[in-house]
């Protein structure tokens, strides 16, 4: 290869965040999007109906919480799932979910004995 045809490799410009609207918001780093980001997908595109935003950019569902607290008893896992959204999951009313929570607590206690 001759020197005349040799070109140095193109330098990649440093990543910029959403048209420089906010420096280091994390959009280009894959750490979530800042509130003003025009590239931020709608919540319905990114998260299921079971996810909740617990602080800006941090989405969890009940299974994330169960895992984070290392809840291993399946009856307690079931109880927590119901207790996080009683009567709001679309197929049982509040009173039915509360009855199920009590039944799950009793079963959890049986499993621990």
């Amino acid at each position: 290869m001759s020197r005349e045809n040799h070109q140095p490799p193109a330098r990649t410009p440093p990543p910029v965040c959403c048209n420089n609207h906010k420096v280091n918001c994390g959009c280009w780093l894959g750490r979530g999007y800042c509130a003003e980001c025009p590239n931020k997908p709608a919540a319905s595109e990114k998260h299921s109906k079971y996810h909740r935003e617990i602080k800006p950019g941090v989405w969890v569902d009940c299974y994330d919480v169960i895992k984070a607290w290392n809840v291993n008893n399946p009856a307690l896992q079931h109880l927590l799932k119901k207790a996080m959204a009683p009567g709001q999951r679309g197929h049982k009313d509040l009173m039915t979910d509360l009855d199920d929570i009590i039944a799950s607590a009793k079963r959890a206690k049986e499993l621990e004995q």
Side-chain angles (χ1 to χ4, degrees):
M1 186 154 109
S2 71
R3 282 188 184 245
E4 299 160 336
N5 293 336
H6 178 72
Q7 295 179 1
R11 297 190 71 170
T12 306
V16 293
C17 168
C18 306
N19 302 320
N20 289 324
H21 73 276
K22 186 175 180 182
V23 177
N24 295 326
C25 75
C27 301
W28 60 268
L29 297 173
R31 291 190 311 231
Y33 295 89
C34 62
E36 305 88 27
C37 180
N39 299 319
K40 182 178 182 178
S44 61
E45 296 173 5
K46 191 174 180 184
H47 305 287
S48 76
K49 66 180 183 177
Y50 302 106
H51 285 86
R52 300 292 189 271
E53 189 172 21
I54 59 172
K55 68 180 193 177
V58 179
W59 291 81
V60 299
D61 66 7
C62 64
Y63 300 106
D64 296 322
V65 174
I66 287 167
K67 184 177 178 183
W69 266 266
N70 198 27
V71 178
N72 295 314
N73 183 315
L76 283 177
Q77 293 172 346
H78 187 70
L79 181 155
L80 288 169
K81 182 180 82 167
K82 290 184 171 291
M84 286 186 216
Q88 301 172 28
R89 295 175 302 114
H91 54 281
K92 292 186 180 179
D93 64 7
L94 175 62
M95 296 311 290
T96 304
D97 275 342
L98 291 174
D99 289 339
D100 288 348
I101 289 167
I102 292 168
S104 293
K106 290 177 180 177
R107 180 64 180 140
K109 191 173 178 181
E110 290 172 7
L111 292 173
E112 294 297 329
Q113 293 176 348

